[in-house]
Amino acid sequence: MRTIGLIGGLSWESTVIYYQIINQRVRERLGGSHSADSLIWSIDYATVENLIFADRWDEVSTLLTDAGRKLQELGAGLLLVCSNTFSRVSDDVERAVNVPVLHIADAVGAEIRARGMRKVGLLGTRFTMEQHFYRDRLAAHGLDVVIPRREQRERVHRVIFDELVRGVLRESSRDAYAQIIDDLADDGAEGVILGCTEIELLISDKDGAIPVLPSARLHAEAAAGLALADGHALGHVRPPR
């Protein structure tokens, strides 16, 4: 079993999902009392949150690549940046280490392709929805990505930072997200990516008119599969060439 290194704390509320799902999948595969060989480097979220709002992404990259190097030194054979927003620097982490880095958008994209979907909605932070780093990665999987209207994007973004990363779950926010998902379905989306790992703490399949694609869960499940697979398995997750 390859040791999985998690760059987490982005936020810790959703890093819990990773640890739980990875261990559940390994136990399902190996049986008995098996669990995953794993390491977590959990970053103080307030530090990186302040940096992204100040557009100081170079400093974010330095923090996360340093975490990746430390996890590799401790024995990690596979790394994950446990976030959609912070996957903006995943490629920087991969260039800084000598082990594979599983990109969250690749795990999501592979699942969408497996389900035969072509057009999907995307919910996430304003950075994830509006900047190109995430949508371009999904486009490389052959996907057409649609995002909510501007005022809806602002609501989604605000709920993430004011509520979800602090462990606050409100019915009014769930209802607002459900309406946004329904609107994306009206725009032709066949499914919707919960493209912030905290959103799946609030939203599930029963809350909208179309299937939801929980990014943290899909990322964690793909990591567990890769940890138990041979070294060529990552090529089945990355975008087709």
Side-chain angles (χ1 to χ4, degrees), residues 26 35 42 48 84 94 99 105 157 189 198 208 229 232 235:
V26 168
S35 59
S42 191
V48 288
N84 293 276
E94 187 158 37
V99 297
H157 179 87
E198 286 79 23
H232 302 290

Side-chain angles (χ1 to χ4, degrees), residues 6-159:
L6 304 174
I7 302 175
L10 305 167
S11 68
W12 72 260
E13 298 281 352
S14 60
T15 303
V16 172
I17 297 173
Y18 279 86
Y19 187 69
Q20 180 181 47
I21 296 301
I22 287 170
N23 282 293
Q24 286 175 345
R25 294 297 171 265
V26 168
R27 184 170 60 192
E28 288 169 6
R29 284 277 302 275
L30 300 182
S33 57
H34 281 287
S35 59
D37 289 334
S38 62
L39 298 162
I40 300 176
W41 193 276
S42 191
I43 293 170
D44 178 5
Y45 187 70
T47 299
V48 288
E49 183 181 59
N50 290 336
L51 290 174
I52 62 174
F53 277 98
D55 199 30
R56 291 158 61 184
W57 283 97
D58 287 349
E59 293 175 61
V60 173
S61 177
T62 298
L63 283 171
L64 269 62
T65 55
D66 184 54
R69 290 190 190 99
K70 288 172 179 173
L71 287 167
Q72 179 180 275
E73 290 168 4
L74 290 168
L78 171 68
L79 297 180
L80 283 70
V81 175
C82 300
S83 168
N84 293 276
T85 297
F86 292 93
S87 72
R88 174 169 163 167
V89 302
S90 282
D91 289 344
D92 295 344
V93 175
E94 187 158 37
R95 284 189 289 268
V97 297
N98 298 314
V99 297
V101 177
L102 174 59
H103 197 292
I104 190 169
D106 288 345
V108 172
E111 175 66 16
I112 295 169
R113 294 201 321 265
R115 294 194 191 192
M117 296 177 181
R118 175 69 177 79
K119 186 174 184 178
V120 290
L122 173 64
L123 302 181
T125 66
R126 188 170 62 241
F127 309 103
T128 302
M129 291 186 288
E130 296 180 357
Q131 296 179 12
H132 290 288
F133 67 93
Y134 196 85
R135 287 185 291 149
D136 285 354
R137 192 89 180 198
L138 292 170
H141 287 267
L143 303 176
D144 182 11
V145 180
V146 293
I147 59 176
R149 297 187 299 272
R150 181 176 179 179
E151 66 273 13
Q152 292 178 325
R153 296 198 301 270
E154 290 300 323
R155 179 68 182 271
V156 171
H157 179 87
R158 185 169 62 253
V159 167

